[in-house]
Amino acid sequence: MFFHWDWLRPQLTAPIVPTLGPVHPDALSVDLFEDILRAADTGDFLPYDKDRRWGGEKDETALRSDVVHQPERTLIPTLTRRGRGTVKVFAYGHHDGVVNEAAELAAKLAAQYDAFNAKVVRPLGPDTGSPRGTRIQLKRFTDRTCPNPDGPVRPVTAWPAAVQKTFGPFADTMAADGLAFLHHQMQADRCGPVLAAVVDDRIVGAIGPMEVRADAIGRPQLMPQYFAVLPDARGQGLGRTLWRAAMHWGQTHGAAYQLLQTEVDGPSDQLCQSEGLATLGFSHTTRA
């Protein structure tokens, strides 16, 4: 075993695992960290990797030989070949100097692996003052009933054909939010249902795909979704209606929970906070 859990566990201020992203606190274990190192050797997806649903090959891998693991800090670098290449170093540890060490390692490895980008990912605890970056939020479906909201929301395929055709232009407009990628997956029939909000026979918002899969300990998890509303359709409560419809879908399809990542103080973050989600911590990414 590579990792010492008695070293690593106190450093995990937020439940973030390299190449996997946020995980449920109950699933956080030394085995997850060991698994990402084994996957680095094989290049395979782990059975519970959320990105496995998109098919193909795992894009991000841990750089096993460059891991720094000591009693007071752990630095785990990963490499992504997408685009011009990115090295990320996940910096676990309580002292501020761990960020500088991680930045030096990221810059060195970016040069070594000919990657254009070098970044540091710092997990931060839920009590962090004035946080920046992304908030990790937990929605539990066992806490209370998630009723189906009233509103113009239904699966894309349940709308009339003329309305369905408006998804393409909507997706192109919201490409920066991942909707163009989602549209491509929908056209290839490689994802679950997508819920859409319609105004005047035009799709103006969507959330999806809706899929439930088992996590590392076998608990059913509602997978992360792409979520967007056109700028000219905001302020009407459609985002909240879409989100509540997605939560209703997840609960009725047996999900125990969902993990969400939202930009701190952004619209989705404010929505989730107003809906009572639990904050598990934060992830702050900086350039090295």
Side-chain angles (χ1 to χ4, degrees), residues 58-109:
K58 180 67 176 176
D59 183 64
E60 184 180 18
T61 57
L63 297 174
R64 177 171 186 154
S65 62
D66 299 297
V67 172
V68 176
H69 184 47
Q70 296 175 351
E72 295 184 354
R73 68 186 185 280
T74 297
L75 308 178
I76 304 178
T78 69
L79 175 64
T80 301
R81 288 296 186 188
R82 183 175 59 248
R84 301 175 70 179
T86 300
V87 168
K88 294 180 186 176
V89 174
F90 290 76
Y92 300 94
H94 295 283
H95 64 90
D96 292 336
V98 72
V99 174
N100 292 332
E101 293 179 48
E104 292 178 6
L105 179 59
K108 183 187 80 170
L109 293 177

Side-chain angles (χ1 to χ4, degrees), residues 53 157 182-193 211:
R53 58 184 169 157
T157 54
L182 177 59
H183 189 213
H184 176 74
Q185 298 298 317
M186 293 165 62
Q187 290 176 310
D189 196 24
R190 289 201 294 259
C191 68
E211 297 173 350

